[in-house]
Structures are given as structure tokens and as C-alpha cells.
Amino acid sequence: AALRCQHYPPLRALQASAVLRRVSDEHKKEPFTSSSQQHFDSPPAGHQPEQEPQGPRPSYTGQGGQESEDYESEEQLQHRILTAALEFVPEHGWTAEAIAEGAKTLGLSVAAAGMFHSDGSELILHFVSECNAKLSKQLEKEQKLVQLGEAEKKPIDEFLRDAVEARLRMLIPYIEKWPQALSILLLPRNIPSGLTLLTSMIDDIWHYAGDQSTDFNWYTRRAVLTGIYNTTELVMMQDSSPDFEDTWRFLENRVADAMTMSNTASQVQSTGEAVVQGLMGAAVTVSNAETSRAVR
Amino acid sequence: CRWRALLARPAAALRALRGLAAGPEMHFGFQSVTEEERREKIYQVFESVAKKYDVMNDSMTLGIHRVWKDILMHKMNPCPGTLLLDVAGGTGDIAFRFINYVRSVRERQLQRKLKHHQNLSWQEILENYQKDKFNSLGDSQVVVCDINREMLKVGKQKAQHLGYSEGLSWVLGNAEELPFDDDMFDVYTIAFGIRNVTRIDLALQEAYRVLKPGGRFLCLEFSHVSNPLLSRLYDLYSFQVIPVLGEVIAGDWKSYQYLVESIRRFPPQEELKAMIEDAGFFKVDYENLNFGIVAIHSGFKL
């Protein structure tokens, strides 16, 4: 036994579970126990919950499949790897290499990148959903300020402009490799998820802009904003002006166009109504004239 | 060191002794034998087929085994700097493919790096070339481990013949008791070998032990065909054609009879998946190739 202790660091066997445990440790503040040393010889190192001396946690039975605790950690772990991988995107692009580097920084083997698809699509989708979440939080904060009366409520066009600009600015650190990301998002396999993320983001923006329409306007508004967002994104790809001034000016013009269009639409509608009324009036007058002539 | 592993695992030593006495009944093809007998018989099988192993593989599978191994490599998608342990890797097929793959990835990496180095001075460019010239594998390494000396011998000869020297090592070892430290390797592969391991659960536990956290377990093995028509054709081919080929090409009917029988006795995809999960791996999944004739199981040590 003495020999064994010399050659084997006692917690080696549980190092594997250390990654998972770390996550649950952070949440549960469960201390590592040294009684794990005795169980060095026994098989799977990943599931040894019986050693916890304190803590009223239920002991897991069996090792097949995933208990809810570890299953959550698996998703969280993937999440953490992808977040860590974002740092390497400017250098390696949206590829499995970036994910491998990210895994390395977390202390995992580079083979962990095998958990994801080899074209990097999960990394891109993860990034997009993170950006959308950030945008939502920011818009919510601004809305709270307005509700508390600490800020002015912005007019619609300014609100839309600011929201789209804030979202597009999140792309700036990765702008060089973003065209690659866009092309990967257009792969048939990724179109459903990419589209879902896009539509939910646009929906969010309109929600915080105060849109409460329940008629066909709902669709038109979202279609228009999606168009504005996509075109501005493309313009941003090949914009080389300082701080992307040209892009923001383009955005301003497009939003102004959209506002004008909606004004024009309502104007056309009222003009149309007026014309119809005029025609109806003329028809009534003519028919009256006819009947009165007939009577005479 | 081997003896250290043995000392620290008295349980395993006891098991070996028990096996010598009168081990539990195991299967050797369709026969029933003791554990120790099984190990010996399998050792003899591979000792006798070693020289003709590659030729037989090609003729039995009509060369498709190369495609299977290529698919395994693509699934692994190793990047330079990966440490691979290929168990039961005898004649080195997986190891050579790994080296080729990593070399080509490395070349592409270097090309990309050079493209970005547009404004370097001549001195810097020269340094870059020198530095990377001796690093064509990017520090990747593969260790081929096999229990059978003959298979390793054939593998080493092949390596010499094909010109593979860098990043390759050959170790004699038992999959149920690997002579390696914990947390050493990035990827563990066992291609068409786990079927011949007597205690698969031990091999899986060893695989778990020697992998780094985040490391990947990959197993390429014959598996069960569920399609009934294909299954009939496959059985016909296996039992009528393969032993005959074995006799004609390698002069060994019995070994190839054992081979096809052992394929039938091997657990099917779902069962193997459960065994891998039992050993502690996560995200265990399998991919059927050729409708289940061959399956690749993959798991991660998380």
C-alpha cells in the first residue's frame, strides 16, 4: 500500500470526474473527500458519489446512462467549451480547431472537439444565440430605465436603429471570419436553426419597440426589419470605413425608408378610401338625377 | 512500468491466477472454453495469421476494410498534437492512417500561416521554415499496443517498408491491463480488436483510465446486421466463403472459422453501447457502416 501511495497521487482516479464535479462543485460547494483514495482500485471513476461523508445528497445507484445531475453538466460543459472556443475564432476561424483550442484552455483533451460537428456550425449557432441573449438583456435594461422615468422613450426609427446597431456591433471582433460563418449558416442542415434564431431576435426587437399589433402588420413589420438587418449585415461585411460609419449611415437610410413606406402606405390607403367615397357619391348623384328625370 | 501496474492491481493478478485454475466458461467462436484457454487460443490464432493478416483482410472484405478505417479516421478528425493509443493495432493500419491525416492537416496549417506572413523579413521567413520543417507532425504521436508479438513484428516491418518512422512507437501490452499511466492519451482506438479481448469490461475500464479528461474512445468492430435479407447473404458469405479463402490464401481454415464465429458471438450495437457507458464514458454513440456489418462506437471521458 505504501508503494501504491508513492506512485499514484490519491485523487488521480477521480480526476476524470473532477471536470464534472467542478461544475457541480461550483453550484453545490461539495468538498472533495480523501476517502476516494481507498476506492482507487474500483472501476468507473466517474460515478463515486457514495464517498460524500457529509451532505444529504441522494446517492446515485448504478452507472449506466446519465443521472439528471451529470446530464446537466454535460450540456453545461459543451456550453463552456464553445464559449472558450470563441476566443480562438479570429485565428482559426469557425472550425473544429478553434473548438479544440477552447477545450485545451479548459484542461480537456483536444479530442473533446469530436463532440461537435466538424464544420463548426455548433460554434456559430452558440455565438449567435449568445449575442441574441445579450441584446435582449440590453433592451430589457433600457426598457426598465424608460419605465422608471430615467430615460426618454425613443421614437420608433431611432429605437430600431440603435437595436440593430448594438446587435451588429457584437460581430466586430469576429468580422473577418463572419462571412465564413454566414456561408456555413446557409448550409441546408443549419438553415432551420439559423432561421429560428434570426426570427426570435427580430421578434424581440419589435417587442421591446412596443409593437402590439395583432393583424397582418405583425408579419409586415417583422419581414421589413429582417430585410433591414440582413442587408445591413452584408454591407458591414465589406465596409472598411472607420468604425463602420458607412454601415450605420446605410442602416439609418433603410430605417427611414421603412418609415416612409409605412407612412406612404397609410396615405395611399386614405387616398384610396377618399377616391372610393368620391366615386360612390358621384354614382349616387347620377342615379338620383336619373330617377328624378324619370319621375318628371 | 508494467510491474508497478501489476502490484497496484492485486485484483487483476488474482483474476489471472483464477483463470489458470478453472476460469468461468467463455466463448471461443461457437465453442465453450475457460478464460485462460480462450486467451491462449486467440494468441495462437493471431500468431498463425500474422503474416497473411493484411492480405486476408483485403480478400475477405474485398478491400472495403480500407474504407472503414478511413471513415474511422475522418470521424476522429485529429488535429496536430494529438496523442493516439491504438490498441490491438497489430499491423499498424490505423496508426499509418493517423500519421498521414495529421501530416496533411499540419501542411494545410502551415500553408495558412505562411499566407498570413506577408510582411516578414527574409530572416524571419527562414526561421519559420526551419522551425516547422522538423515538425511535420506537429508533435502528434501514436503508440501501437498489441498483445501478440508476431503481429507487432509484422507491423514494424510494414512501417519500415512504407517509411513511417516519426511519431510512432510499438508496445507489447494487454488491453485488459495497459502498461501506461493514467490520463495520458487524447484518443484511444481499437479497430477489430475488442472482439478478441476476453474481458471486454476490463478493456473498457483500462481505456477510461489511460484517457485524458475530454479524451475520446473509438471502437471499430463487426456488429449485427438487422436487415433480414442482407443478414442472410452476409451469413452465407461468412460461413461458406471466408473459411475457404482462409484455407486457400493463408492455409488456415480454423482461424477464419473462429473469426466468423466470434463476429456472431459479439454483443450487438446497443449492448456494446451500454457496456461503454458502464465504464464511465459520456455521449456514447454508434454509427453503422454498411447496414451494421461494421459499427463505430464513440464515447468521451468527461
Side-chain angles (χ1 to χ4, degrees), chain A residues 8-271:
Chain A
Y8 285 100
L11 294 179
R12 248 343 161 82
L14 287 183
Q15 188 182 341
S17 63
V19 176
L20 282 177
R21 286 291 181 75
R22 247 183 283 143
V23 182
S24 41
D25 276 357
E26 282 157 28
H27 296 300
K28 301 267 162 50
K29 303 211 175 16
E30 193 81 38
F32 253 133
T33 67
S34 59
S35 57
S36 53
Q37 196 172 352
Q38 306 150 353
H39 292 264
F40 171 72
D41 256 345
S42 62
H47 304 258
Q48 302 237 17
E50 289 88 19
Q51 279 86 54
E52 263 70 80
Q54 62 266 73
R57 278 174 55 197
S59 67
Y60 309 132
T61 50
Q63 302 135 351
Q66 293 106 335
E67 298 91 359
S68 59
E69 183 81 37
D70 286 331
Y71 191 69
E72 208 181 8
S73 299
E74 205 181 284
E75 299 262 307
Q76 283 177 356
L77 184 66
Q78 286 191 293
H79 200 83
R80 284 198 306 153
I81 295 178
L82 289 178
T83 313
L86 286 178
E87 182 186 330
F88 298 95
V89 164
E91 188 189 336
H92 294 280
W94 304 90
T95 56
E97 267 172 28
I99 303 180
E101 293 287 326
K104 247 201 316 207
T105 56
L106 289 181
L108 295 175
S109 148
V110 289
M115 280 195 283
F116 308 98
H117 213 273
S118 56
D119 65 355
S121 37
E122 269 120 331
L123 184 57
I124 303 173
L125 291 170
H126 168 86
F127 173 68
V128 170
S129 71
E130 289 278 304
C131 285
N132 291 355
K134 263 199 294 198
L135 180 68
S136 280
K137 263 203 280 252
Q138 188 178 335
L139 291 178
E140 193 181 332
K141 237 181 12 186
E142 284 174 11
Q143 193 188 47
K144 279 217 179 72
L145 289 179
V146 169
Q147 279 174 351
L148 292 175
E150 292 176 17
E152 288 285 311
K153 184 165 163 67
K154 295 188 210 164
I156 285 269
D157 57 339
E158 196 183 320
F159 183 90
L160 293 180
R161 234 183 26 232
D162 287 343
V164 173
E165 184 180 331
R167 175 63 177 78
L168 286 176
R169 276 192 185 273
M170 298 181 198
L171 297 179
I172 293 182
Y174 308 98
I175 195 81
E176 251 177 59
K177 306 282 182 181
W178 193 245
Q180 177 193 12
L182 283 181
S183 63
I184 293 180
L185 279 180
L186 283 175
L187 288 175
R189 190 190 46 236
N190 296 324
I191 288 183
S193 358
L195 216 51
T196 320
L197 287 170
L198 178 65
T199 48
S200 67
M201 179 207 20
I202 299 286
D203 207 18
D204 254 352
I205 298 180
W206 269 119
H207 170 76
Y208 286 108
D211 173 45
Q212 290 172 339
S213 53
T214 45
D215 53 358
F216 199 75
N217 273 330
W218 193 92
Y219 293 99
T220 11
R221 289 195 179 134
R222 273 145 191 79
V224 165
L225 188 57
T226 312
I228 296 177
Y229 178 83
N230 281 338
T231 44
T232 317
E233 194 177 22
L234 289 175
V235 165
M236 195 173 166
M237 291 299 106
Q238 32 83 27
D239 184 10
S240 49
S241 59
D243 196 35
F244 300 97
E245 292 170 349
D246 289 345
T247 311
W248 311 136
R249 211 169 325 126
F250 176 86
L251 174 62
E252 198 179 319
N253 290 339
R254 292 291 79 66
V255 171
D257 279 346
M259 296 293 120
T260 322
M261 209 170 52
S262 74
N263 282 345
T264 317
S266 57
Q267 272 175 11
V268 164
Q269 195 181 27
S270 49
T271 311

Side-chain angles (χ1 to χ4, degrees), chain B residues 183-300:
Chain B
D183 305 336
M184 265 186 77
F185 296 99
D186 290 305
V187 187
Y188 173 110
T189 53
I190 183 163
F192 301 119
I194 203 165
R195 203 176 69 247
N196 302 311
V197 168
T198 307
R199 292 284 306 270
I200 297 181
D201 52 339
L202 290 183
L204 293 174
Q205 283 164 26
E206 280 293 281
Y208 192 85
R209 181 179 70 83
V210 299
L211 278 176
K212 285 190 204 157
R216 189 174 196 181
F217 169 85
L218 282 167
C219 166
L220 175 69
E221 191 54 81
F222 288 107
S223 206
H224 284 243
V225 180
S226 43
N227 182 322
L229 175 64
L230 193 61
S231 174
R232 284 248 303 273
L233 289 171
Y234 182 46
D235 283 347
L236 198 72
Y237 182 76
S238 297
F239 287 102
Q240 307 301 332
V241 177
I242 290 184
V244 173
L245 279 178
E247 182 60 43
V248 165
I249 298 182
D252 193 345
W253 175 289
K254 280 200 140 106
S255 295
Y256 289 92
Q257 183 73 21
Y258 158 71
L259 174 92
V260 290
E261 287 176 3
S262 69
I263 294 177
R264 294 298 174 292
R265 294 295 293 250
F266 189 68
Q269 287 88 327
E270 283 296 327
E271 211 178 300
L272 183 60
K273 175 175 169 192
M275 288 170 80
I276 298 175
E277 279 172 351
D278 281 345
F281 290 99
F282 283 101
K283 287 196 80 72
V284 181
D285 204 12
Y286 62 85
E287 184 186 336
N288 275 343
L289 302 177
N290 287 123
F291 298 108
I293 296 182
V294 163
I296 300 181
H297 282 74
S298 156
F300 289 89

Side-chain angles (χ1 to χ4, degrees), chain B residues 135-148:
Chain B
N135 206 1
S136 62
L137 282 185
D139 298 325
S140 326
Q141 274 203 47
V142 52
V143 177
V144 180
C145 178
D146 201 292
I147 197 175
N148 195 302

